[in-house]
Amino acid sequence: MRFSISRRSWWPVAALLAVFAKSTFAEGPTVTLGGAGWMGYGSIVTSMDTADGNDVTGKPLISSGAQVLLQAKINDNMDIEAGVGAGGGHLIAGKVKTQGGYAPFGVGPYVAQANFMYNFWKEEGSGFFLRGGLFTFDYAKENQNLGLYLLRGPVYPGFLLSGFETKHVLPVANTLGLHIHYQGGAFQNDLLFQVESEFPPYYDISPAYIATYQPGPAFRLTAGANFYHLIPVDPTLTTDTTRMRWVVKGGPGPEDDDTVQLSARAIKLMVNTAIDLKAIFGGIESLGPEDLKLYGEVALLGLENTPAYKELYGPYSQRMPMMAGFNLPAFKFLDRLALEVEYYGAPFRDDLSLFNHTAGNTVSTIPRDPDSSVTKDNIKWSLYGAKVLHEHIKLSLQVASDHYRPGIFTGYGDNNPPVSDAVLTRPQDWYWMGKIAYFF
């Protein structure tokens, strides 16, 4: 059937569009321009990870970047954000003699924001909005490095992500999809439909629900569930019948074995809490607003508990990352001084290279060298400090032994993308990074 609009019938449509445009843009949009630029420097002080002959101890790190952001307030209900940025730096060449110790300088563009927000209503202590596109979402703003397990990182295997001022803790788009938010008094509800863009299989949709209870400034409790890869774009990739199979030994002969079909589909559960001790004991004039905040998070990565899943990913106790953080008193000399520690007993190497798309690698949920004796990387720690000067300059510094993945350059070619394993395998392996940023 062919549909067309005659010259006589087009005017009612135009009239409706004109009425909509007049009501929407009656006073014209208010556009705000923002941006930032930064320079970072640091060093991997010590690392015992020498896999494949790599040696990154003592490697200095340098980075820089800039971004611009446009924020348009269309009317009382509609807001739009759009922005782009680019970051540059050198990947480390783990073999000392390769490329002089570094890869050539590279620049990577990114989308800083690209979203709309429609407020159905917004009042003090309550509100209801719909947001879509590429946007920032952070359910625990106290966390500066570790934690945030519900929405970052895959499940099978359960790799954790962290590092110095990653996109998950900065005002940079980290979520692609839709966000429905409702707040009524002390209760807050967030429903997300995330489109997977970081780990394969790409573009699967993962619904996640997060509930927050905050009766006052002293206490917040957050809990959530993430139905990871629940809605696949291509089910043959999410549950690959050839690349995601594991044989469980059941006896001495092959007839006793059980071949199990695996899947990237999983369920994450999370509980996060924060307590502001200043609000409990009364305000202390010499302390800053972030001082004396105690916070923590625990998660369960994957509910499947059959023998195959236990063998590959460990029992529940080894799939439960947990962290705790405390904002040390900085007495307004710093805006924040956060000490964080983490325990995670995953029985496999912290190496994301199994997700690399290359001619010599098959993407799979099976971890590299599963081994229940891998325990030296179970404990992580981080100390982060930051200060904003004159409302436009931010100084930040972090020393940590976390899941930092510098990207180790191994050479050119389809089979040699940057190695993405975490290089800090013991609590005494650590790095430091600092950054100066100007924003407006």
Side-chain angles (χ1 to χ4, degrees):
M1 178 182 293
R2 183 179 179 183
F3 178 78
S4 63
I5 300 177
S6 67
R7 292 183 178 181
R8 292 184 179 182
S9 60
W10 71 268
W11 67 267
V13 177
L16 287 174
L17 291 174
V19 171
F20 174 78
K22 183 177 180 181
S23 62
T24 303
F25 302 101
E27 298 180 0
T30 301
V31 179
T32 304
L33 174 65
W38 63 90
M39 174 67 73
Y41 185 81
S43 176
I44 299 176
V45 178
T46 179
S47 171
M48 290 299 294
D49 189 342
T50 56
D52 301 321
N54 293 317
D55 183 7
V56 299
T57 296
K59 293 286 187 181
L61 308 164
I62 189 169
S63 63
S64 59
Q67 71 178 42
V68 293
L69 179 66
L70 287 174
Q71 296 177 307
K73 186 173 183 59
I74 306 303
N75 55 31
D76 291 339
N77 302 99
M78 178 72 79
D79 296 289
I80 295 175
E81 289 185 322
V84 294
H90 291 273
L91 291 176
I92 296 173
K95 297 177 181 178
V96 177
K97 295 182 180 180
T98 302
Q99 303 292 332
Y102 293 92
F105 188 85
V107 176
Y110 64 89
V111 178
Q113 299 284 352
N115 62 80
F116 74 89
M117 178 186 291
Y118 187 85
N119 288 282
F120 295 95
W121 82 78
K122 184 177 181 180
E123 300 174 358
E124 185 175 354
S126 67
F128 180 36
F129 68 72
L130 170 67
R131 180 164 54 171
L134 270 166
F135 53 87
T136 301
F137 183 81
D138 185 355
Y139 60 81
K141 295 187 181 302
E142 293 83 11
N143 297 50
Q144 297 302 303
N145 184 1
L146 307 174
L148 304 175
Y149 306 122
L150 187 68
L151 299 180
R152 62 175 179 176
V155 179
Y156 296 129
F159 291 117
L160 305 184
L161 304 181
S162 61
F164 176 56
E165 294 191 343
T166 66
K167 66 179 182 179
H168 307 94
V169 299
L170 292 176
V172 176
N174 55 40
T175 303
L176 172 63
L178 290 175
H179 175 202
I180 302 172
H181 170 89
Y182 172 77
Q183 180 179 357
F187 293 93
Q188 179 174 304
N189 301 271
D190 292 283
L191 179 61
L192 295 168
F193 293 90
Q194 289 183 288
V195 178
E196 181 60 59
S197 59
E198 194 164 2
F199 296 101
Y202 299 115
Y203 305 121
D204 286 359
I205 299 175
S206 302
Y209 172 69
I210 302 169
T212 302
Y213 174 64
Q214 186 166 1
F219 176 74
R220 191 203 72 241
L221 178 65
T222 303
N226 184 356
F227 299 90
Y228 194 58
H229 291 287
L230 177 65
I231 306 173
V233 173
D234 185 347
T236 62
L237 296 178
T238 304
T239 306
D240 193 309
T241 58
T242 60
R243 303 177 181 180
M244 301 181 188
R245 299 174 72 86
W246 187 254
V247 177
V248 180
K249 298 294 183 180
E255 68 277 3
D256 300 316
D257 297 343
D258 183 18
T259 301
V260 179
Q261 176 63 56
L262 306 173
S263 174
R265 183 177 294 165
I267 297 177
K268 292 185 187 183
L269 301 178
M270 173 278 302
V271 175
N272 181 289
T273 188
I275 300 172
D276 188 347
L277 300 179
K278 300 190 308 303
I280 296 177
F281 299 113
I284 303 175
E285 183 65 27
S286 61
L287 296 179
E290 300 300 322
D291 290 359
L292 298 186
K293 284 187 177 181
L294 179 65
Y295 53 95
E297 182 171 345
V298 61
L300 176 57
L301 307 182
L303 300 185
E304 291 285 350
N305 206 31
T306 61
Y309 281 82
K310 285 183 179 180
E311 188 174 320
L312 285 172
Y313 314 114
Y316 283 161
S317 60
Q318 292 181 313
R319 288 187 252 162
M320 295 180 65
M322 56 192 73
M323 64 82 60
F326 182 63
N327 287 350
L328 301 169
F331 303 102
K332 300 181 181 179
F333 178 74
L334 296 176
D335 297 328
R336 187 189 304 268
L337 182 60
L339 175 64
E340 298 179 353
V341 293
E342 175 187 270
Y343 178 84
Y344 182 46
F348 44 81
R349 182 180 174 86
D350 196 1
D351 183 0
L352 286 172
S353 62
L354 60 91
F355 290 115
N356 283 348
H357 288 277
T358 69
N361 183 63
T362 299
V363 176
S364 174
T365 58
I366 299 174
R368 306 242 185 235
D369 303 321
D371 184 357
S372 60
S373 66
V374 178
T375 59
K376 58 184 178 180
D377 64 347
N378 287 359
I379 297 175
K380 301 295 183 183
W381 58 268
S382 172
L383 180 64
Y384 172 85
K387 176 70 173 181
V388 174
L389 303 173
H390 306 293
E391 300 182 349
H392 293 287
I393 300 173
K394 181 180 179 181
L395 304 176
S396 53
L397 177 68
Q398 178 171 291
V399 294
S401 178
D402 57 15
H403 305 278
Y404 174 54
R405 309 173 195 276
I408 301 176
F409 180 74
T410 56
Y412 295 103
D414 183 45
N415 292 324
N416 295 288
V419 175
S420 55
D421 61 333
V423 298
L424 307 170
T425 59
R426 310 169 305 165
Q428 57 265 46
D429 294 344
W430 62 286
Y431 70 95
W432 68 270
M433 284 190 185
K435 182 188 292 184
I436 180 172
Y438 177 82
F439 61 93
F440 62 94

